[in-house]
Amino acid sequence: MRPFWLVLNKRAVLSGLVLLVLLALIAWGGGRLMPRGHGKMQPQEMLKTALERTKASGSFRYQAETRLTTAGKSSVDFFSQVEGERVAPDRVRMKGLLMNTPVEFIQVGDSSYFKDQQTGRWITLPGNKLADSELFYAELNPLAYFNFKDIPELKYKGEENVNGEKLLLLEMRPNLMDPFLELRLTDYYFKVWLSPADCRIRRATLQARDKYSPQNGIEINLRFWDYDKNITIEPPAVN
Protein backbone atom coordinates (compact mmCIF):
# COMPACT_ATOMS: atom_id res chain seq x y z
CA MET A 1 0.00 0.00 0.00
CA ARG A 2 2.88 2.40 0.74
CA PRO A 3 4.00 2.88 -2.94
CA PHE A 4 0.35 3.31 -3.93
CA TRP A 5 -0.20 6.11 -1.38
CA LEU A 6 3.07 7.79 -2.41
CA VAL A 7 1.84 7.90 -6.01
CA LEU A 8 -1.50 9.38 -4.90
CA ASN A 9 0.24 11.97 -2.72
CA LYS A 10 2.57 12.97 -5.58
CA ARG A 11 -0.41 13.38 -7.89
CA ALA A 12 -2.19 15.54 -5.30
CA VAL A 13 0.90 17.70 -4.82
CA LEU A 14 1.39 18.10 -8.58
CA SER A 15 -2.28 18.99 -9.06
CA GLY A 16 -2.00 21.57 -6.28
CA LEU A 17 1.11 23.08 -7.83
CA VAL A 18 -0.55 23.30 -11.24
CA LEU A 19 -3.57 25.01 -9.64
CA LEU A 20 -1.34 27.49 -7.83
CA VAL A 21 0.53 28.33 -11.05
CA LEU A 22 -2.76 28.87 -12.89
CA LEU A 23 -4.05 31.14 -10.13
CA ALA A 24 -0.81 33.10 -10.18
CA LEU A 25 -1.02 33.54 -13.96
CA ILE A 26 -4.63 34.70 -13.72
CA ALA A 27 -3.75 37.21 -11.00
CA TRP A 28 -0.74 38.44 -13.01
CA GLY A 29 -2.86 38.81 -16.15
CA GLY A 30 -5.58 40.62 -14.24
CA GLY A 31 -3.00 43.01 -12.85
CA ARG A 32 -1.86 43.82 -16.38
CA LEU A 33 -5.38 44.36 -17.64
CA MET A 34 -6.39 46.79 -14.91
CA PRO A 35 -4.34 49.69 -13.47
CA ARG A 36 -2.59 49.34 -10.13
CA GLY A 37 -4.37 51.31 -7.45
CA HIS A 38 -7.53 51.49 -9.58
CA GLY A 39 -8.00 47.77 -10.13
CA LYS A 40 -11.69 47.75 -9.20
CA MET A 41 -12.57 50.63 -11.54
CA GLN A 42 -14.42 50.18 -14.78
CA PRO A 43 -13.33 52.47 -17.67
CA GLN A 44 -16.35 54.74 -17.14
CA GLU A 45 -15.55 55.16 -13.45
CA MET A 46 -11.85 55.64 -14.20
CA LEU A 47 -12.59 58.42 -16.69
CA LYS A 48 -15.11 60.10 -14.39
CA THR A 49 -12.58 60.12 -11.54
CA ALA A 50 -9.86 61.49 -13.82
CA LEU A 51 -12.07 64.31 -15.12
CA GLU A 52 -13.25 65.28 -11.65
CA ARG A 53 -9.74 65.35 -10.17
CA THR A 54 -8.19 67.12 -13.15
CA LYS A 55 -10.83 69.84 -13.30
CA ALA A 56 -10.70 70.32 -9.51
CA SER A 57 -6.97 71.13 -9.63
CA GLY A 58 -6.10 74.56 -8.32
CA SER A 59 -3.39 75.05 -10.93
CA PHE A 60 -1.48 73.27 -13.68
CA ARG A 61 0.84 73.81 -16.62
CA TYR A 62 0.06 72.60 -20.11
CA GLN A 63 1.33 72.34 -23.66
CA ALA A 64 -0.92 72.32 -26.72
CA GLU A 65 -0.09 71.61 -30.35
CA THR A 66 -2.75 71.93 -33.04
CA ARG A 67 -2.26 70.72 -36.61
CA LEU A 68 -4.50 70.52 -39.62
CA THR A 69 -4.71 67.10 -41.25
CA THR A 70 -5.29 65.97 -44.81
CA ALA A 71 -6.26 62.38 -45.61
CA GLY A 72 -5.46 61.46 -42.00
CA LYS A 73 -1.90 62.82 -42.16
CA SER A 74 -0.73 65.75 -40.04
CA SER A 75 0.49 68.89 -41.73
CA VAL A 76 4.19 69.61 -41.35
CA ASP A 77 3.45 73.19 -40.31
CA PHE A 78 1.98 73.88 -36.88
CA PHE A 79 -1.32 75.68 -36.76
CA SER A 80 -0.46 76.53 -33.14
CA GLN A 81 2.11 75.45 -30.58
CA VAL A 82 1.90 76.98 -27.10
CA GLU A 83 2.73 76.44 -23.45
CA GLY A 84 0.63 77.88 -20.69
CA GLU A 85 -0.36 77.97 -17.05
CA ARG A 86 -3.76 78.15 -15.41
CA VAL A 87 -4.61 79.12 -11.84
CA ALA A 88 -8.20 78.69 -10.69
CA PRO A 89 -10.56 80.33 -11.07
CA ASP A 90 -9.65 82.84 -13.78
CA ARG A 91 -5.91 83.36 -14.31
CA VAL A 92 -4.11 82.19 -17.45
CA ARG A 93 -0.70 82.82 -18.99
CA MET A 94 0.19 81.53 -22.46
CA LYS A 95 3.12 81.94 -24.84
CA GLY A 96 3.95 80.39 -28.19
CA LEU A 97 2.86 80.37 -31.82
CA LEU A 98 -0.68 80.92 -33.04
CA MET A 99 -1.10 80.29 -36.77
CA ASN A 100 2.72 80.40 -36.91
CA THR A 101 2.75 83.92 -35.41
CA PRO A 102 4.41 84.63 -32.01
CA VAL A 103 1.85 85.42 -29.31
CA GLU A 104 1.91 86.08 -25.58
CA PHE A 105 -1.25 86.40 -23.51
CA ILE A 106 -2.31 86.90 -19.87
CA GLN A 107 -5.79 86.72 -18.40
CA VAL A 108 -6.53 87.98 -14.88
CA GLY A 109 -10.18 88.09 -13.90
CA ASP A 110 -12.17 89.93 -16.57
CA SER A 111 -9.15 91.57 -18.19
CA SER A 112 -7.08 90.20 -21.06
CA TYR A 113 -3.58 91.34 -22.03
CA PHE A 114 -1.80 90.83 -25.34
CA LYS A 115 1.87 91.57 -25.93
CA ASP A 116 2.71 93.55 -29.06
CA GLN A 117 5.61 91.54 -30.47
CA GLN A 118 7.00 94.49 -32.44
CA THR A 119 7.10 97.01 -29.58
CA GLY A 120 7.19 94.67 -26.60
CA ARG A 121 4.33 96.59 -25.00
CA TRP A 122 1.29 95.03 -23.39
CA ILE A 123 -2.18 95.94 -24.63
CA THR A 124 -5.10 95.54 -22.25
CA LEU A 125 -8.65 94.54 -23.17
CA PRO A 126 -10.74 95.15 -20.02
CA GLY A 127 -14.00 93.27 -19.71
CA ASN A 128 -12.96 90.47 -22.10
CA LYS A 129 -12.49 86.93 -20.82
CA LEU A 130 -10.83 85.58 -23.95
CA ALA A 131 -9.55 82.56 -22.02
CA ASP A 132 -13.10 81.22 -22.08
CA SER A 133 -13.64 81.92 -25.77
CA GLU A 134 -14.36 78.91 -27.98
CA LEU A 135 -11.93 80.28 -30.55
CA PHE A 136 -8.92 79.63 -28.28
CA TYR A 137 -9.85 76.48 -26.38
CA ALA A 138 -6.70 74.54 -27.24
CA GLU A 139 -4.39 77.47 -26.51
CA LEU A 140 -6.06 78.95 -23.41
CA ASN A 141 -8.56 76.46 -21.99
CA PRO A 142 -7.67 72.93 -23.12
CA LEU A 143 -9.80 71.21 -20.48
CA ALA A 144 -12.87 72.54 -22.30
CA TYR A 145 -12.41 69.65 -24.73
CA PHE A 146 -13.27 67.25 -21.91
CA ASN A 147 -16.85 68.41 -21.39
CA PHE A 148 -18.67 65.39 -22.81
CA LYS A 149 -22.34 65.03 -23.60
CA ASP A 150 -22.00 61.26 -23.74
CA ILE A 151 -19.37 58.66 -24.64
CA PRO A 152 -20.79 55.88 -26.85
CA GLU A 153 -17.42 54.14 -27.11
CA LEU A 154 -14.85 53.92 -24.30
CA LYS A 155 -12.08 51.35 -23.79
CA TYR A 156 -9.28 50.89 -21.28
CA LYS A 157 -6.16 49.81 -23.21
CA GLY A 158 -3.78 49.09 -20.32
CA GLU A 159 -0.49 50.62 -19.24
CA GLU A 160 1.74 52.38 -21.75
CA ASN A 161 5.24 53.75 -21.35
CA VAL A 162 5.29 57.36 -22.55
CA ASN A 163 8.68 59.11 -22.43
CA GLY A 164 9.78 56.94 -19.52
CA GLU A 165 6.53 57.37 -17.55
CA LYS A 166 4.03 54.54 -17.10
CA LEU A 167 0.55 55.86 -17.81
CA LEU A 168 -2.94 54.39 -18.16
CA LEU A 169 -4.45 54.65 -21.64
CA LEU A 170 -8.12 55.21 -22.43
CA GLU A 171 -9.50 55.41 -25.97
CA MET A 172 -12.92 56.90 -26.69
CA ARG A 173 -15.27 58.39 -29.23
CA PRO A 174 -17.28 61.01 -27.32
CA ASN A 175 -19.91 63.56 -28.22
CA LEU A 176 -18.86 66.98 -26.93
CA MET A 177 -21.10 69.22 -24.85
CA ASP A 178 -20.14 72.50 -26.51
CA PRO A 179 -22.05 72.85 -29.81
CA PHE A 180 -19.34 75.18 -31.14
CA LEU A 181 -16.83 72.31 -31.15
CA GLU A 182 -19.19 70.22 -33.28
CA LEU A 183 -20.25 73.05 -35.56
CA ARG A 184 -17.61 72.26 -38.17
CA LEU A 185 -15.96 69.10 -36.85
CA THR A 186 -17.30 65.60 -36.30
CA ASP A 187 -16.22 62.04 -35.45
CA TYR A 188 -14.05 62.98 -32.47
CA TYR A 189 -11.54 60.34 -31.40
CA PHE A 190 -9.61 60.70 -28.12
CA LYS A 191 -6.62 58.94 -26.61
CA VAL A 192 -6.16 59.98 -22.98
CA TRP A 193 -3.28 58.98 -20.72
CA LEU A 194 -3.81 59.09 -16.94
CA SER A 195 -1.35 59.02 -14.07
CA PRO A 196 -1.78 55.83 -12.00
CA ALA A 197 -0.63 57.77 -8.93
CA ASP A 198 -3.43 60.35 -8.79
CA CYS A 199 -5.68 59.40 -11.77
CA ARG A 200 -5.34 62.81 -13.42
CA ILE A 201 -4.86 63.53 -17.11
CA ARG A 202 -1.23 63.71 -18.22
CA ARG A 203 -1.57 63.59 -22.00
CA ALA A 204 -4.28 63.52 -24.63
CA THR A 205 -4.58 63.34 -28.39
CA LEU A 206 -7.76 64.54 -30.13
CA GLN A 207 -8.64 63.94 -33.75
CA ALA A 208 -11.73 65.07 -35.66
CA ARG A 209 -12.90 65.27 -39.28
CA ASP A 210 -14.25 68.25 -41.16
CA LYS A 211 -18.01 67.81 -41.69
CA TYR A 212 -17.93 69.32 -45.15
CA SER A 213 -14.56 67.98 -46.27
CA PRO A 214 -14.11 64.57 -44.60
CA GLN A 215 -10.61 64.04 -45.97
CA ASN A 216 -9.49 67.03 -43.90
CA GLY A 217 -9.54 67.50 -40.17
CA ILE A 218 -7.64 68.56 -37.09
CA GLU A 219 -5.30 66.96 -34.57
CA ILE A 220 -4.62 68.38 -31.09
CA ASN A 221 -1.90 67.07 -28.77
CA LEU A 222 -2.12 68.09 -25.11
CA ARG A 223 0.19 67.60 -22.14
CA PHE A 224 -0.50 68.52 -18.50
CA TRP A 225 1.83 68.68 -15.49
CA ASP A 226 2.58 70.54 -12.20
CA TYR A 227 -0.90 70.03 -10.81
CA ASP A 228 -1.62 72.12 -7.68
CA LYS A 229 1.82 73.73 -7.78
CA ASN A 230 2.40 77.26 -6.51
CA ILE A 231 1.98 79.20 -9.77
CA THR A 232 1.67 82.99 -9.71
CA ILE A 233 0.04 84.93 -12.56
CA GLU A 234 -0.15 88.71 -12.22
CA PRO A 235 -1.25 91.45 -14.65
CA PRO A 236 1.65 92.81 -16.74
CA ALA A 237 2.81 96.43 -16.59
CA VAL A 238 0.77 98.25 -19.22
CA ASN A 239 2.39 101.26 -20.88
Side-chain angles (χ1 to χ4, degrees):
M1 294 291 294
R2 184 176 179 82
F4 177 74
W5 282 109
L6 282 175
V7 170
L8 287 181
N9 287 337
K10 285 181 179 179
R11 287 179 178 175
V13 170
L14 287 174
S15 298
L17 287 175
V18 170
L19 181 61
L20 287 174
V21 170
L22 287 174
L23 290 174
L25 287 173
I26 291 171
W28 177 79
R32 287 177 62 85
L33 291 174
M34 292 301 294
R36 293 191 300 271
H38 307 282
K40 297 182 180 180
M41 285 189 181
Q42 296 297 315
Q44 293 82 0
E45 184 182 358
M46 194 188 310
L47 178 62
K48 180 182 177 182
T49 300
L51 293 176
E52 289 175 349
R53 292 183 180 180
T54 301
K55 293 179 180 180
S57 302
S59 62
F60 60 85
R61 291 186 170 92
Y62 65 92
Q63 182 183 67
E65 296 179 353
T66 303
R67 303 183 185 185
L68 301 179
T69 61
T70 302
K73 296 182 179 180
S74 298
S75 171
V76 176
D77 296 327
F78 282 105
F79 182 71
S80 69
Q81 183 181 29
V82 304
E83 287 195 9
E85 303 167 317
R86 287 188 66 98
V87 177
D90 53 13
R91 297 191 174 220
V92 184
R93 179 167 49 221
M94 178 271 288
K95 184 177 182 179
L97 297 174
L98 183 59
M99 291 186 288
N100 295 322
T101 301
V103 62
E104 194 167 350
F105 171 92
I106 292 177
Q107 175 91 46
V108 177
D110 291 335
S111 296
S112 302
Y113 305 86
F114 278 100
K115 189 174 185 179
D116 187 325
Q117 297 299 317
Q118 292 184 347
T119 65
R121 295 181 177 181
W122 286 91
I123 301 171
T124 181
L125 298 173
N128 287 277
K129 296 189 70 173
L130 292 182
D132 295 330
S133 170
E134 298 93 338
L135 296 175
F136 303 105
Y137 271 165
E139 293 78 18
L140 299 176
N141 189 17
L143 290 184
Y145 284 101
F146 297 92
N147 293 327
F148 300 138
K149 184 166 35 180
D150 55 56
I151 309 173
E153 185 178 329
L154 172 62
K155 296 179 181 179
Y156 172 65
K157 305 297 288 186
E159 287 188 353
E160 187 168 286
N161 195 314
V162 183
N163 291 339
E165 184 180 12
K166 284 188 177 181
L167 301 175
L168 314 176
L169 174 59
L170 294 171
E171 293 184 4
M172 66 196 79
R173 293 188 180 276
N175 294 313
L176 277 58
M177 184 71 71
D178 193 330
F180 177 84
L181 296 177
E182 295 190 327
L183 184 64
R184 183 64 187 261
L185 299 172
T186 186
D187 194 22
Y188 277 92
Y189 169 71
F190 282 54
K191 294 177 72 174
V192 180
W193 290 266
L194 312 177
S195 167
D198 58 10
C199 201
R200 286 192 277 198
I201 299 173
R202 286 294 185 272
R203 293 175 179 268
T205 297
L206 295 61
Q207 296 176 338
R209 293 186 297 108
D210 190 314
K211 282 185 177 180
Y212 308 104
S213 182
Q215 73 274 14
N216 299 325
I218 195 170
E219 178 181 295
I220 301 174
N221 294 300
L222 303 172
R223 187 166 69 92
F224 302 90
W225 70 98
D226 282 353
Y227 284 108
D228 293 324
K229 296 294 184 180
N230 186 17
I231 300 172
T232 302
I233 301 176
E234 298 293 343
V238 179
N239 296 324

